[in-house]
Amino acid sequence: MNIGVLGAGQLGRMLALAGYPLANRFTFLDTTGHPSAGIGDVTVYTDQHHLDDFLAKVDLVTYEFEHLPVALVQAIEEVRPVYPSSEAIRVCQNRAEEKALFDRLGIPTPAYRLVEHADELEAAARELGCPVVAKSVTEGYDGKGQAVLRDPADAADAWRAIGHPRLIVEAFVDFVREVSIIAVRGRDGEVVFYPMAENQHVDGILRYSLAPMPDLDDSVQQTADGYIRALLDELDYVGVLTLELFQCADGSLLANEMAPRVHNSGHWTMDGAVTSQFENHLRAIQGLPLGDTAARMPTCMVNVIGQEGDPAAILAIGDAHLHRYDKSERPGRKLGHVNLVASTHEALMERVRACAALLPEAPEPRFSFE
Ligand code: AMP
């Protein structure tokens, strides 16, 4: 089976690494001009010939990047099966569509307003009560295209800084922690759920993900499972879906956003779960049985951002697994990640701190259970 992947970054690279044992081949279609997968057969898409070449090679198509022209994905869907469908891309690349879907399915979110003018932004900030977070409706990721307003009077500056014609304005959530749930739906509608992860972001960029959480109530996992199942079934989804949520002091969950793909907060599964998110995505899209999602042991993923640190020193930590993306160093760039595994959360946190000390730009790890 030759799998076509739209996007050619590290997520595509890790999909391929998981697919080779299944005898899959990979052909990437890059739309950014900067492919970094460093593996498989990569086509940089600039015209119809490239697309035709790509389609001639592949049996089915998936993606590792959702900021793609929907019309392009719809055109591909006419020729080859695409999993997840273009409908998932259409919804997930637009925060307004995403929130409307959450509302329709009864999945709670922070209070929000849609605005199309600086004056409307100011009125929304007044109505919701500051602080609020303003986000571009499209094209935002990793905290880009966002601004926090501490006062409605900040609206004109925030509007200019974001520079987008349509924003979503959300009440600022005083969360206890950020969490995510990853689930996989097969072609036959079977759904499996990974244990939820606690995620630490700095400036909108994920730095650490830890799973399973030692203090997570079963009922919270079940609530998250219910939310993501509703999304999967509504979209008749095939593959891995990720839902990021805020957990509040009373244990309740508010949905932040979703990603129609394998996700950075699921990288821990490569070494910490029976079946990784990458393998399970490939199983799902090929109509194969889904693998066990159970965690083997407490695991923490540490992102390597900006500078590589000393790989040999990192590998000297017990049960440390380094995944490098073969990219050059640049401030803020995701270069790799380390999965640390230990038999207890206490031992795990010692390893996480030892790893963070070896990474020049790593923030101090802080988890809510400590
Ligand atoms: P997003 O791109 O929507 O995932 O936002 C990036 C990060 O900004 C999140 O991971 C949170 O740390 C923070 N953030 C986003 N929306 C809110 C909100 N409504 N309240 C508090 N923090 C937020």
Side-chain angles (χ1 to χ4, degrees):
M1 179 81 75
N2 194 323
I3 296 180
V5 182
L6 307 179
Q10 69 265 16
L11 299 176
R13 174 186 180 85
M14 289 185 275
L15 271 175
L17 290 170
Y20 291 140
L22 296 171
N24 294 146
R25 292 190 189 156
F26 290 85
T27 304
F28 295 95
L29 190 72
D30 170 79
T31 55
T32 66
H34 308 286
S36 68
I39 200 171
D41 178 2
V42 180
T43 302
V44 177
Y45 168 67
T46 51
D47 65 28
Q48 186 65 34
H49 288 300
H50 295 132
L51 184 58
D52 292 343
D53 268 3
F54 170 78
L55 290 171
K57 287 179 191 159
V58 304
D59 299 300
L60 60 82
V61 175
T62 188
Y63 43 92
E64 56 108 66
F65 178 68
E66 66 273 30
H67 297 285
L68 294 160
V70 176
L72 171 68
V73 185
Q74 286 169 338
I76 293 173
E77 241 164 8
E78 299 286 313
V79 187
R80 290 284 180 271
V82 178
Y83 301 115
S85 70
S86 61
E87 178 61 7
I89 290 202
R90 192 185 67 76
V91 173
C92 294
Q93 69 178 212
N94 183 308
R95 291 184 191 272
E97 291 279 346
E98 206 173 78
K99 286 280 200 292
L101 179 61
F102 292 154
D103 289 347
R104 204 160 71 239
L105 297 174
I107 300 171
T109 67
Y112 72 93
R113 301 282 185 277
L114 289 164
V115 300
E116 295 186 0
H117 194 275
D119 293 345
E120 290 177 16
L121 174 57
E122 185 175 342
R126 252 181 241 295
E127 237 182 285
L128 295 169
C130 279
V132 294
V133 191
K135 305 177 180 178
S136 64
V137 164
T138 54
E139 288 145 40
Y141 62 95
D142 277 355
K144 295 188 179 79
Q146 297 192 14
V148 175
L149 283 73
R150 309 253 160 232
D151 190 292
D154 299 341
D157 285 347
W159 181 265
R160 252 194 313 277
I162 299 175
H164 198 274
R166 204 154 175 247
L167 307 185
I168 192 156
V169 192
E170 299 173 11
F172 196 88
V173 180
D174 183 20
F175 52 78
V176 173
R177 59 183 165 193
E178 293 190 67
V179 296
S180 56
I181 170 90
I182 294 181
V184 199
R185 188 169 182 272
R187 283 206 217 166
D188 60 357
E190 180 196 2
V191 179
V192 292
F193 307 92
Y194 281 98
M196 292 171 76
E198 175 168 344
N199 304 320
Q200 185 183 336
H201 294 88
V202 176
D203 297 332
I205 300 182
L206 184 67
R207 307 306 301 232
Y208 301 98
S209 282
L210 184 147
M213 291 178 255
D215 58 345
L216 188 76
D217 213 272
D218 272 355
S219 66
V220 177
Q221 174 85 41
Q222 282 158 20
T223 300
D225 290 356
Y227 293 161
I228 200 163
R229 182 189 279 280
L231 291 163
L232 289 165
D233 289 343
E234 174 70 18
L235 294 167
D236 194 16
Y237 194 96
V238 176
V240 165
L241 178 70
T242 306
L243 177 63
E244 292 186 79
L245 307 126
F246 302 118
Q247 190 176 16
C248 305
D250 63 359
S252 63
L253 297 171
L254 297 174
N256 177 27
E257 61 177 357
M258 58 180 180
R261 54 172 166 78
V262 288
H263 193 258
N264 198 169
S265 71
H267 291 358
W268 69 270
T269 62
M270 296 171 87
D271 300 289
V274 177
T275 314
S276 79
Q277 62 166 348
F278 299 99
E279 181 179 338
N280 255 338
H281 184 72
L282 294 170
R283 289 185 186 216
I285 65 176
Q286 293 176 90
L288 297 168
L290 303 181
D292 189 344
T293 51
R296 290 183 190 276
M297 277 210 271
T299 306
C300 184
M301 188 282 316
V302 180
N303 262 342
V304 178
I305 295 179
Q307 296 180 56
E308 296 262 13
D310 177 353
I314 292 168
L315 288 170
I317 300 171
D319 224 338
H321 305 273
L322 179 58
H323 300 265
R324 298 175 76 186
Y325 308 153
D326 199 9
K327 288 178 170 179
S328 52
E329 294 186 338
R330 196 194 303 149
R333 193 175 201 202
K334 288 180 180 170
L335 303 173
H337 68 271
V338 187
N339 283 336
L340 298 150
V341 185
S343 55
T344 66
H345 283 86
E346 208 182 1
L348 178 62
M349 289 313 299
E350 272 178 33
R351 289 177 174 170
V352 172
R353 276 187 254 282
C355 180
L358 295 169
L359 293 169
E361 294 182 22
E364 194 190 326
R366 273 181 221 278
F367 289 96
S368 58
F369 60 83
E370 285 188 281

